[in-house]
Coordinates of all heavy atoms in Angstrom, one line a residue:
I590 N 102.6 173.7 77.2 CA 102.3 173.9 78.6 C 101.0 173.2 79.0 O 100.8 172.5 80.0 CB 102.3 175.4 79.0 CG1 103.7 175.9 78.8 CG2 101.8 175.6 80.4 CD1 103.8 177.5 78.9
M591 N 100.0 173.4 78.1 CA 98.7 172.9 78.4 C 98.7 171.3 78.3 O 98.0 170.7 79.1 CB 97.7 173.4 77.3 CG 97.3 174.8 77.5 SD 96.4 175.2 79.0 CE 96.1 176.9 78.9
L592 N 99.5 170.8 77.4 CA 99.6 169.3 77.3 C 100.1 168.7 78.6 O 99.4 167.8 79.2 CB 100.6 169.0 76.2 CG 101.0 167.5 76.0 CD1 99.7 166.7 75.6 CD2 102.1 167.3 75.0
W593 N 101.2 169.2 79.2 CA 101.8 168.7 80.4 C 100.9 169.0 81.6 O 100.7 168.1 82.5 CB 103.2 169.2 80.6 CG 104.2 168.5 79.6 CD1 104.7 169.1 78.5 CD2 104.6 167.2 79.6 NE1 105.6 168.2 77.9 CE2 105.5 167.0 78.5 CE3 104.4 166.1 80.5 CZ2 106.2 165.8 78.3 CZ3 105.1 164.9 80.2 CH2 105.9 164.8 79.1
T594 N 100.4 170.2 81.7 CA 99.6 170.5 82.9 C 98.3 169.7 82.9 O 97.8 169.2 84.0 CB 99.2 172.0 82.9 OG1 98.7 172.4 81.7 CG2 100.5 172.8 83.2
Y595 N 97.7 169.4 81.8 CA 96.4 168.7 81.8 C 96.6 167.2 81.9 O 95.7 166.4 82.4 CB 95.5 169.1 80.6 CG 94.7 170.3 80.9 CD1 95.2 171.6 80.7 CD2 93.4 170.2 81.4 CE1 94.5 172.7 81.0 CE2 92.7 171.3 81.6 CZ 93.2 172.6 81.5 OH 92.5 173.7 81.8
V596 N 97.7 166.7 81.4 CA 98.1 165.3 81.6 C 98.3 165.0 83.0 O 97.7 164.0 83.6 CB 99.3 164.9 80.7 CG1 99.9 163.5 81.2 CG2 99.0 164.8 79.3
L597 N 99.0 165.8 83.7 CA 99.2 165.6 85.2 C 98.0 166.0 86.0 O 98.0 165.7 87.2 CB 100.5 166.4 85.6 CG 101.8 165.9 85.0 CD1 102.9 166.7 85.6 CD2 102.0 164.4 85.4
A598 N 97.1 166.8 85.4 CA 95.9 167.2 86.2 C 95.1 166.0 86.6 O 94.4 166.0 87.7 CB 95.0 168.1 85.4
S599 N 95.1 164.9 85.8 CA 94.3 163.7 86.2 C 94.8 163.1 87.5 O 94.0 162.5 88.2 CB 94.5 162.7 85.0 OG 95.8 162.4 84.8
V600 N 96.1 163.3 87.8 CA 96.6 162.8 89.1 C 96.5 163.9 90.1 O 96.0 163.7 91.2 CB 98.1 162.3 88.9 CG1 98.6 161.9 90.2 CG2 98.1 161.2 87.9
A601 N 97.1 165.1 89.8 CA 97.2 166.2 90.8 C 95.8 166.6 91.3 O 95.6 166.7 92.5 CB 98.0 167.4 90.2
V602 N 94.9 167.0 90.4 CA 93.6 167.5 90.8 C 92.8 166.4 91.6 O 92.1 166.7 92.6 CB 92.8 167.9 89.6 CG1 91.4 168.3 90.0 CG2 93.5 169.1 88.9
T603 N 93.0 165.1 91.2 CA 92.3 164.0 91.9 C 92.8 163.9 93.3 O 92.0 163.8 94.3 CB 92.5 162.7 91.1 OG1 92.0 162.8 89.8 CG2 91.9 161.6 91.9
L604 N 94.2 163.9 93.5 CA 94.7 163.8 94.8 C 94.4 165.0 95.7 O 94.0 164.8 96.9 CB 96.3 163.7 94.7 CG 96.8 162.4 94.1 CD1 98.3 162.4 94.0 CD2 96.3 161.1 94.9
W605 N 94.5 166.2 95.2 CA 94.2 167.4 96.0 C 92.7 167.4 96.3 O 92.3 167.8 97.4 CB 94.6 168.7 95.3 CG 96.0 169.0 95.4 CD1 97.0 169.0 94.4 CD2 96.8 169.3 96.6 NE1 98.2 169.3 94.9 CE2 98.1 169.5 96.2 CE3 96.4 169.4 97.9 CZ2 99.1 169.9 97.2 CZ3 97.4 169.8 98.9 CH2 98.7 170.0 98.5
S606 N 91.8 167.1 95.4 CA 90.4 167.1 95.7 C 90.1 166.1 96.8 O 89.2 166.3 97.7 CB 89.6 166.7 94.4 OG 89.8 167.6 93.4
T607 N 90.7 164.9 96.7 CA 90.5 163.9 97.8 C 91.0 164.4 99.1 O 90.2 164.3 100.1 CB 91.3 162.6 97.4 OG1 90.9 162.1 96.1 CG2 91.1 161.5 98.5
Y608 N 92.1 165.1 99.2 CA 92.6 165.6 100.4 C 91.7 166.8 100.9 O 91.4 166.9 102.1 CB 94.1 166.1 100.2 CG 94.6 166.8 101.5 CD1 95.0 166.0 102.6 CD2 94.9 168.1 101.6 CE1 95.5 166.5 103.7 CE2 95.4 168.7 102.7 CZ 95.7 167.9 103.8 OH 96.2 168.5 104.9
F609 N 91.3 167.6 100.0 CA 90.4 168.7 100.4 C 89.1 168.2 101.0 O 88.6 168.8 102.0 CB 90.1 169.7 99.2 CG 91.3 170.4 98.7 CD1 91.4 170.9 97.4 CD2 92.4 170.7 99.6 CE1 92.5 171.6 97.0 CE2 93.5 171.4 99.1 CZ 93.5 171.8 97.8
M610 N 88.5 167.2 100.4 CA 87.2 166.6 100.9 C 87.5 166.0 102.3 O 86.6 166.2 103.2 CB 86.7 165.6 100.0 CG 86.0 166.2 98.7 SD 85.1 164.9 97.8 CE 86.5 164.1 96.9

Side-chain angles (χ1 to χ4, degrees):
I590 292 169
M591 290 294 182
L592 173 64
W593 286 106
T594 51
Y595 275 85
V596 165
L597 291 182
S599 58
V600 177
V602 175
T603 299
L604 292 177
W605 280 116
S606 299
T607 304
Y608 179 69
F609 292 156
M610 282 190 283

